[in-house]
Amino acid sequence: MRRPSLWKRVLRYPDTVVESKWFDEAAGAVVISVRPARRAQQRCGRCGQRCPWYDRGRGRRRWRMLDVAARLAYLEADLPRVRCSQHGVVVAAVPWARHGAGHTRDFDSEVAWLTRQMSKTAVCLLLRIAWATVGAIITRVVAEADAQAGDRLNGLRRIGIDEISYKRGHRYLTVVVDHATGRLVWVGEGRSKATLSRFFQLLGPQRCAQIGLVSADAAEWIFLAVAEYCPNARQCLDPFHMVAWATKALDEVRNQVWRQARQDGQKALADTVKGARYALWKNPEDLNGHQQARLAHIAKTNQPLYRAYLLKEQFRQIFAPGGEERIELLDEWLIWASRSRLKPFVELARRIRVHFRSDIAHTLIYRLSNGRIESVNTKIRLLTRIAFGFKSVHALIALVRLHLGGYHTPLPGRT
């Protein structure tokens, strides 16, 4: 394969002329000298418009390409600069690599594909590149995919919002998912109203007004941002988080009973209540024989604690499959909890009635939960573990978007 025309067919880069090739003994690499074809010259590296020459640049430059016969391989070419009317003096575009990249397009595509199939460490070892390089390549690939796909935020009507911790020290990501497709549509660093406001500002007032339903937990910063930017949105509280409130209230009652029993010297009762923690937490259909016996003993010996258990179970049944009749069940539960003489449930009923009753009603009517978002969060945790952590949050965000944003990244030479 000495003829340049054969190398051109092997490289598969359009508008690229192969000049020569040799083996660099010092670098231990195959080097192929190339230049852009005449019609691909004098183009801005950012916008691609034809521009006048500015100077010859800083001499020749190399781009890492896919290995040749298990040897490192590079493309080498001059890198002149042009004067763009929009971007000023910039490096001229080349057809085999993205602007500002030190790797060819095929190399970037292979890194993006491998990153979706294996750990980041394995990709680094296989392709002989650094962690930071993988993150930079993924960021380039995702940015170009976004530019080619156009606006990926059109058509949003039902969204889910949640946060996920990606690193120690209270490092969080805010995640937005489209309920209609299950696709991750946006992810940003932090968990605050300011973070979520960046998404709504990117969306714009017109598209924000088209959002009809938003599912989330009861985080105040989410509710404030949605209320400010989405005037027509109805907010739905995630049932899992709501039942967790009732479970927490039940546990507070159990702790009160346990402390009172110890103060009164009732050791047997204290041991029974302490050992019944999981029996009270679990759903009735998941109890084993021993836990059922503990629950039956509590029903006979401690009515307040058993009443708290029934309140928790009744609240869980509110979110069972059904329609608007579940709203009546919610109102009846609020009355029962308010009159239960159990302080944790009295306070929970007051909080729901004052702040969250309408949002829970929306959940019961539209049957919307954060199930899709929790699935996305689980995949983000898996990606973080596989990569053994990230030094740059921007690299993590690019990797998450590459995996969960609906991007198609085929291997080079394949469709």
Side-chain angles (χ1 to χ4, degrees), residues 289-310:
H290 180 68
Q291 291 168 340
Q292 290 176 354
R294 279 187 178 273
L295 198 59
H297 181 70
I298 290 175
K300 293 180 180 179
T301 60
N302 198 293
Q303 286 299 315
L305 181 56
Y306 189 68
R307 192 185 319 129
Y309 169 77
L310 295 178

Side-chain angles (χ1 to χ4, degrees), residues 355-408:
H355 300 289
F356 303 112
R357 194 267 181 194
S358 60
D359 300 317
I360 295 178
H362 294 156
T363 302
L364 300 175
I365 294 172
Y366 300 106
R367 311 305 304 172
L368 205 63
S369 72
N370 262 17
R372 285 186 181 273
I373 298 88
E374 293 299 337
S375 173
V376 169
N377 285 347
T378 300
K379 294 172 184 176
I380 292 176
R381 293 188 187 95
L382 178 61
L383 291 175
T384 306
R385 288 199 300 270
I386 290 176
F388 297 100
F390 283 87
K391 295 182 180 179
S392 169
V393 66
H394 302 292
L396 173 59
I397 290 174
L399 181 63
V400 168
R401 295 181 62 199
L402 180 68
H403 278 259
L404 307 175
Y407 297 99
H408 178 57

Side-chain angles (χ1 to χ4, degrees), residues 91-213:
V91 175
V94 293
W96 55 81
R98 296 175 174 88
H99 180 68
H103 307 82
T104 63
R105 290 181 176 273
D106 281 354
F107 193 92
D108 286 356
S109 297
E110 182 156 317
V111 170
W113 187 88
L114 289 174
T115 305
R116 299 183 65 174
Q117 310 301 322
M118 62 178 67
S119 72
K120 196 173 178 183
T121 302
V123 175
C124 295
L125 182 63
L126 177 65
L127 299 179
R128 292 176 281 199
I129 54 179
W131 278 36
T133 303
V134 176
I137 289 175
I138 293 173
T139 303
R140 287 199 301 267
V141 171
V142 171
E144 184 174 83
D146 280 338
Q148 293 176 350
D151 196 344
R152 300 172 61 87
L153 300 179
N154 280 332
L156 294 180
R157 299 294 184 272
R158 300 185 303 163
I159 62 174
I161 304 171
D162 201 3
E163 78 276 1
I164 178 174
S165 172
Y166 71 93
K167 197 174 183 179
R168 291 181 180 178
H170 299 286
R171 304 291 184 87
Y172 289 91
L173 297 177
T174 297
V175 178
V176 182
V177 174
D178 182 7
H179 276 291
T181 62
R183 178 173 57 89
L184 175 73
V185 295
W186 188 83
V187 56
E189 182 183 5
R191 58 160 185 174
S192 64
K193 180 185 175 183
T195 302
L196 190 55
S197 295
R198 297 204 306 268
F199 166 69
F200 290 127
Q201 291 166 4
L202 182 65
L203 202 60
Q206 183 177 357
R207 289 183 297 190
C208 284
Q210 296 174 351
I211 295 180
L213 296 174

Side-chain angles (χ1 to χ4, degrees), residues 210-326:
Q210 296 174 351
I211 295 180
L213 296 174
V214 177
S215 71
D217 55 21
E220 183 180 7
W221 57 273
I222 296 179
F223 275 69
L224 292 176
V226 172
E228 179 178 346
Y229 290 95
C230 302
N232 301 322
R234 297 181 177 180
Q235 303 191 52
C236 303
L237 293 181
D238 182 48
F240 176 82
H241 290 85
M242 299 302 98
V243 175
W245 287 356
T247 304
K248 182 180 178 180
L250 168 62
D251 213 39
E252 291 178 7
V253 174
R254 185 186 66 84
N255 288 334
Q256 292 174 1
V257 172
W258 175 76
R259 285 194 297 267
Q260 188 63 44
R262 291 202 53 180
Q263 292 175 3
D264 296 342
Q266 299 176 340
K267 186 176 184 304
L269 176 59
D271 292 342
T272 300
V273 172
K274 182 178 180 180
R277 181 181 186 184
Y278 294 103
L280 294 168
W281 278 7
K282 292 172 69 174
N283 300 335
E285 60 273 15
D286 298 328
L287 296 174
N288 57 35
H290 180 68
Q291 291 168 340
Q292 290 176 354
R294 279 187 178 273
L295 198 59
H297 181 70
I298 290 175
K300 293 180 180 179
T301 60
N302 198 293
Q303 286 299 315
L305 181 56
Y306 189 68
R307 192 185 319 129
Y309 169 77
L310 295 178
L311 280 166
K312 186 267 293 186
E313 282 302 311
Q314 186 64 37
F315 192 72
R316 187 174 68 88
Q317 290 300 318
I318 292 173
F319 299 98
E324 296 187 13
E325 70 276 1
R326 294 288 169 179

